[in-house]
Amino acid sequence: MEDVTIPRTHPRYESLVTREKIVEGFKKGIVVPHGLIAHGRGEALDYILGEKTTEYAREAAEAAAALLMLSKKPVIAVNGNTAALVGRELITLSATLNAPLEVNLFHRSREREEKIRDYLTSLGASKVLLSSEEHVIEGISSARRFVSGAGIKTADTVVVAIEDGDRTEELVKEGKNVIAIDLNPLSRTAEKATITIVDNVIRAIPLLTKLCQSYREKPREELLDILKRFDNRENLRRALAAICQRLERLAYLDKV
Amino acid sequence: MEDVTIPRTHPRYESLVTREKIVEGFKKGIVVPHGLIAHGRGEALDYILGEKTTEYAREAAEAAAALLMLSKKPVIAVNGNTAALVGRELITLSATLNAPLEVNLFHRSREREEKIRDYLTSLGASKVLLSSEEHVIEGISSARRFVSGAGIKTADTVVVAIEDGDRTEELVKEGKNVIAIDLNPLSRTAEKATITIVDNVIRAIPLLTKLCQSYREKPREELLDILKRFDNRENLRRALAAICQRLERLAYLDKV
């Protein structure tokens, strides 16, 4: 028998407990081994970020909410990790926007797609789309090229989180807006997305939902104004600068 | 059937291929799900570091090699991840130093300990110690407190890699020298170790072995001199400063 008790005295107790969500998803067959590794990358990047939503992430989320409110056909992409970490929260965002959830996997299998759909349905999701080999986003070399004709293929705006790089670029090439939630401000996804929210999905998805709800009555001009004021490149630069400052501060405060 | 082909055009192809080693170890039952997450954290930190051995990591490795050559009873701790990633390289270091390998697990089970031992033996290891509930390092709240009486319990210097925090502190409290290989210069392990090598084990273990081999004929005074010149706190500060500089450079070079 394995001793898996996490001692409460462990300095990263909270992070260890959050981690169990993804391990749980793995045990359910929703998350693949590579998804666990991806979660670890996210943990490290969030740790460096300070494990909180920064001011620039909030501004990016505001622009993203404005864009979503202006979109005619937004779609929310879901993978194993996001289903395991923020399944319920994605359903709330989907309901708020009346936008479908679409399962889109790098390590694609019909069986896992269906497991994720069933899991989301069990949490209350009403519309979960799966990929189809009939509908392809050209230029994506991974299995993520297969999408739903009723979803990503015909969407004007796609929300993606915990991504590999090439999908975002190709979606943008197809004329779509991409809102990416990515903890790495240097990633290709972050660089290529229309709007990048450098934050943990656990915080970013509820924030995005709250903002969309509060923008419901906002006139179109105001939404356009929020969008116009936002510069993704500049925002990423600030994210990076803030990370540097934080690391330097930690060094000065003698916390090493 | 799952489509797991990694497209060669993927910008992180090399990192993805390296990653397969740990997934392989997971399939063998050597690596636990939490080990995959830990590997992901390492990937992110190494990415930020630039995925190469820095000058300060080299200096730390030189001090570590000097300390190992001066030690009477060095022991090399092994866990699932280090066995999967650098099993062969740890055996070479063990042979170079005539120091036993000791399996020491956070997610401890006798079955997994034996799997790791058998795996290392299959690679050519001659002496692999397992933990015993008779021998305890007081103050460690995880299962890592159980050690071998012929190994860590009576060692003067312990090499540890891919660690949780409290073990290093308690080993040092017991009067042992701890050489830690840790990609996070802000971790408790990094802070508490006698010598911290901020580098990926994949690069650090072969470097450490090479240095130990080249120090074989070095007089004791020279080894003591290398040790005396090394300041772990200062080295960690430089590691952090270098990371900051690298991030800033990336930002300026417009690589975001």
Side-chain angles (χ1 to χ4, degrees):
Chain A
M1 213 198 67
E2 199 166 319
D3 180 349
V4 292
T5 320
I6 301 161
R8 277 193 174 270
T9 54
H10 198 291
R12 304 204 44 74
Y13 178 77
E14 206 158 336
S15 171
L16 290 174
V17 169
T18 306
R19 192 178 292 167
E20 295 312 312
K21 271 195 188 181
I22 205 91
V23 174
E24 194 59 35
F26 172 71
K27 287 178 183 161
K28 283 195 187 100
I30 287 173
V31 171
V32 289
H34 289 86
L36 295 177
I37 298 174
H39 182 75
R41 289 196 297 278
E43 273 187 5
L45 292 166
D46 199 22
Y47 166 87
I48 287 171
L49 213 64
E51 291 170 351
K52 61 179 205 307
T53 299
T54 58
E55 191 196 332
Y56 53 82
R58 200 192 156 79
E59 282 171 29
E62 285 167 358
L67 176 56
L68 284 168
M69 299 313 284
L70 288 164
S71 298
K72 288 200 171 52
K73 199 186 164 189
V75 173
I76 303 157
V78 183
N79 64 20
N81 283 36
T82 51
L85 289 175
V86 283
R88 270 175 220 283
E89 293 79 356
L90 286 170
I91 293 165
T92 311
L93 179 62
S94 158
T96 300
L97 295 169
N98 194 25
L101 298 172
E102 177 169 336
V103 181
N104 185 274
L105 306 177
F106 184 82
H107 296 277
R108 177 177 178 258
S109 76
R110 182 56 73 182
E111 189 197 344
R112 192 157 72 97
E113 282 190 346
E114 286 171 357
K115 267 192 190 159
I116 293 171
R117 182 194 56 197
D118 295 349
Y119 173 65
L120 292 169
T121 306
S122 80
L123 295 180
S126 56
K127 198 174 180 186
V128 183
L129 304 171
L130 302 190
S131 69
S132 147
E133 300 197 0
E134 283 168 49
H135 300 284
V136 171
I137 303 292
E138 298 296 339
I140 301 181
S141 44
S142 78
R144 279 191 155 160
R145 64 187 175 278
F146 302 119
V147 295
S148 163
I152 290 173
K153 189 67 194 175
T154 50
D156 57 353
T157 300
V158 185
V159 178
V160 303
I162 311 176
E163 280 284 315
D164 57 304
D166 70 350
R167 181 161 68 129
T168 294
E169 186 167 1
E170 299 303 329
L171 289 172
V172 168
K173 271 190 198 160
E174 287 220 356
K176 299 178 196 308
N177 301 305
V178 176
I179 295 167
I181 301 167
D182 194 327
L183 279 160
N184 178 6
L186 291 166
S187 77
R188 210 150 53 111
T189 298
E191 179 194 355
K192 298 294 182 184
T194 317
I195 297 171
T196 309
I197 306 170
V198 180
D199 202 6
N200 193 322
V201 284
I202 287 181
R203 298 184 298 270
I205 296 291
L207 172 62
L208 197 53
T209 305
K210 220 179 86 184
L211 288 166
C212 287
Q213 286 163 350
S214 77
Y215 286 3
R216 252 186 200 141
E217 308 299 322
K218 243 192 214 330
R220 193 182 153 79
E221 293 67 40
E222 277 188 43
L223 294 172
L224 284 167
D225 235 40
I226 294 172
L227 257 186
K228 235 181 280 170
R229 282 199 306 269
F230 182 78
D231 179 334
N232 202 48
R233 209 169 187 78
E234 183 53 33
N235 193 271
L236 288 172
R237 214 181 279 278
R238 284 171 58 204
L240 207 53
I243 290 168
C244 292
Q245 277 166 21
R246 194 180 116 78
L247 288 174
E248 272 162 9
R249 208 164 47 237
L250 287 169
Y252 277 111
L253 283 176
D254 214 6
K255 283 228 173 135
V256 294
Chain B
M1 214 198 68
E2 199 167 322
D3 181 350
V4 293
T5 321
I6 300 161
R8 276 191 176 273
T9 54
H10 198 289
R12 305 203 46 73
Y13 178 76
E14 206 158 335
S15 170
L16 291 175
V17 170
T18 306
R19 193 178 292 167
E20 295 314 310
K21 270 196 188 181
I22 205 92
V23 173
E24 193 60 36
F26 171 72
K27 287 178 184 162
K28 284 196 186 96
I30 286 173
V31 171
V32 289
H34 288 85
L36 295 177
I37 298 174
H39 182 75
R41 288 196 297 278
E43 274 187 5
L45 293 166
D46 200 21
Y47 165 87
I48 287 171
L49 214 62
E51 290 169 351
K52 61 179 205 306
T53 300
T54 58
E55 191 196 331
Y56 53 82
R58 199 190 156 81
E59 282 171 28
E62 285 167 358
L67 176 56
L68 284 168
M69 298 314 282
L70 289 165
S71 298
K72 289 201 171 52
K73 198 186 164 188
V75 173
I76 303 157
V78 184
N79 64 20
N81 283 37
T82 51
L85 289 175
V86 283
R88 270 175 219 283
E89 292 80 357
L90 286 169
I91 293 165
T92 312
L93 178 62
S94 159
T96 300
L97 295 169
N98 193 25
L101 298 172
E102 177 170 336
V103 180
N104 185 274
L105 306 177
F106 184 83
H107 295 277
R108 177 178 179 257
S109 76
R110 182 56 75 184
E111 190 197 344
R112 192 157 72 97
E113 282 192 346
E114 287 171 357
K115 267 191 190 159
I116 293 171
R117 182 194 57 199
D118 295 348
Y119 174 67
L120 292 169
T121 306
S122 80
L123 295 179
S126 57
K127 199 174 178 185
V128 183
L129 304 171
L130 302 189
S131 70
S132 147
E133 301 200 0
E134 282 168 48
H135 300 285
V136 171
I137 303 291
E138 298 296 339
I140 301 181
S141 44
S142 78
R144 279 191 154 159
R145 64 187 176 278
F146 303 119
V147 294
S148 163
I152 290 173
K153 189 67 193 176
T154 51
D156 56 353
T157 300
V158 185
V159 178
V160 302
I162 311 176
E163 281 284 314
D164 56 303
D166 69 349
R167 181 160 70 130
T168 295
E169 186 167 1
E170 299 304 329
L171 289 172
V172 168
K173 272 190 198 159
E174 287 220 355
K176 299 178 197 305
N177 301 305
V178 176
I179 295 167
I181 301 167
D182 193 328
L183 278 161
N184 178 5
L186 290 166
S187 77
R188 211 152 50 113
T189 297
E191 179 194 355
K192 298 295 182 183
T194 317
I195 297 172
T196 308
I197 306 171
V198 180
D199 202 5
N200 193 323
V201 284
I202 287 181
R203 298 184 300 268
I205 295 291
L207 173 61
L208 197 53
T209 304
K210 220 180 87 185
L211 288 166
C212 287
Q213 286 163 351
S214 77
Y215 286 3
R216 254 187 198 140
E217 308 298 323
K218 242 192 213 332
R220 192 181 154 78
E221 293 67 39
E222 276 189 43
L223 294 171
L224 283 167
D225 235 39
I226 294 172
L227 256 185
K228 235 181 279 168
R229 282 199 305 268
F230 182 77
D231 178 334
N232 203 49
R233 208 169 187 78
E234 183 53 32
N235 194 272
L236 287 174
R237 214 182 279 278
R238 284 170 59 204
L240 207 54
I243 290 168
C244 292
Q245 276 165 22
R246 194 180 116 79
L247 288 175
E248 272 163 8
R249 209 164 47 236
L250 286 170
Y252 277 111
L253 283 176
D254 214 6
K255 282 226 174 137
V256 294

